[in-house]
Amino acid sequence: MSRTVLLNNLEHHDLRVIVARGARYGDGEMLAPTFFGEFRELQAHYPIVFQKTADGGFRSVALLGLRPGENLFLEPEPAPGAAADGERWDAHYLPMAIARLPFLIGIADEEPMVHIDLDHPRVVRGGDAGEALFLEHGGTSAFLQGVASLLRALHDGLRDDAGFIAALRRHELLEPFALDIRLDERSQHRLSGFHTIDERRLGALDGAALQALSQAGHLQAAYMALASLSRLRDLIERLSRRHAAGR
């Protein structure tokens, strides 16, 4: 459940947000929605694929795991002298859709504004844990200013991704794929339900189509998505290690 409200410095002056990573804070997700403008940062760490939406369209997503509810980039990191229940994010780049939690953009008076999910596990009231959202006398903290910038970039990027998806569909560049993973003699897993870019069809496009894709920034993004599929091997290795360790 969530309880999303418009953020303001009167009702929420004592709110703080925990920035540590972990499944307990909502990070245990298999994928993160993304947009073609983020592909450059993502492709070095995560496979980028395309998922069908309820309305029959597609959205760009970064794979964080190979099974629902499992994020393979969360690794144990015990604090000195503490039980091994801490976690860290094992990649140098955190997807925007994950980094923005527990905040989101909402529309208030026809303008996009920062909202917060008061029931999110990252949100606490008072104390010293986490990052303050507002200064003592009501001003916005540097942390919240950064969140607002990130939300705007994510909001605009997800909106603009519709044009990228439309271009891929117009040229029939999306194809379904499945990946069979053998963990041991008795354990197998199949990743399915996603699409990738058809590299053969992309390479066969005529000059005019390639130029139009290039001018929109879509051609580079398409090749970055293709290159990112090499990261599937890393996900399989992470899953195999977790399976061998009984986690």
Side-chain angles (χ1 to χ4, degrees):
M1 297 296 292
S2 62
R3 184 160 51 107
T4 302
V5 298
L6 177 64
L7 188 65
N8 67 82
N9 62 358
L10 296 178
E11 297 175 270
H12 309 129
H13 63 93
D14 59 343
L15 288 189
R16 301 179 73 91
V17 169
I18 296 171
V19 295
R21 309 320 310 180
R24 76 177 87 174
Y25 300 126
D27 292 337
E29 298 293 335
M30 175 186 175
L31 54 82
T34 184
F35 57 95
F36 76 94
E38 195 184 15
F39 287 8
R40 180 181 294 276
E41 288 77 16
L42 290 172
Q43 55 88 27
H45 305 284
Y46 315 99
I48 300 166
V49 295
F50 304 90
Q51 182 185 45
K52 275 196 170 183
T53 57
D55 61 2
F58 288 88
R59 65 172 182 167
S60 306
V61 298
L63 287 180
L64 311 178
L66 297 169
R67 300 182 294 196
E70 182 178 63
N71 182 345
L72 294 170
F73 289 90
L74 289 179
E75 294 286 350
E77 186 179 54
D85 59 356
E87 288 180 293
R88 65 186 177 90
W89 193 286
D90 189 30
H92 294 301
Y93 180 79
L94 189 65
M96 288 187 187
I98 300 294
R100 60 94 183 170
L101 295 172
F103 302 95
L104 65 159
I105 285 282
I107 304 300
D109 296 328
E110 300 184 356
E111 290 292 329
M113 304 287 285
V114 177
H115 287 59
I116 188 169
D117 176 6
L118 295 178
D119 287 341
H120 196 279
R122 291 190 178 279
V123 178
V124 295
R125 281 195 179 272
D128 297 322
E131 297 283 346
L133 305 185
F134 299 102
L135 304 178
E136 183 179 355
H137 300 294
T140 301
S141 71
F143 171 73
L144 185 54
Q145 291 173 13
V147 166
S149 297
L150 183 149
L151 285 173
R152 171 62 73 174
L154 183 60
H155 177 265
D156 292 348
L158 291 175
R159 178 200 61 205
D160 295 344
D161 205 52
F164 174 59
I165 296 296
L168 296 181
R169 299 187 73 181
R170 184 166 60 251
H171 296 294
E172 300 180 340
L173 293 176
L174 293 177
E175 62 174 353
F177 86 105
L179 178 65
D180 290 311
I181 305 161
R182 185 183 179 90
L183 299 175
D184 58 35
E185 292 182 357
R186 293 179 296 177
S187 298
Q188 297 187 56
H189 175 68
R190 165 168 276 219
L191 177 71
S192 61
F194 298 98
H195 285 61
T196 58
I197 292 174
D198 185 331
E199 187 172 8
R200 181 188 60 80
R201 289 189 64 88
L202 178 60
L205 292 178
D206 62 29
L210 290 172
Q211 183 178 18
L213 288 172
S214 180
Q215 288 178 341
H218 297 161
L219 184 60
Q220 184 182 61
Y223 278 112
M224 285 182 179
L226 282 168
S228 77
L229 296 181
S230 65
R231 305 311 303 170
L232 283 169
R233 183 180 296 109
D234 176 52
L235 281 185
I236 294 170
E237 290 174 354
R238 288 172 182 269
L239 181 59
S240 296
R241 290 196 301 268
R242 190 164 295 193
H243 179 76
R247 293 192 282 120

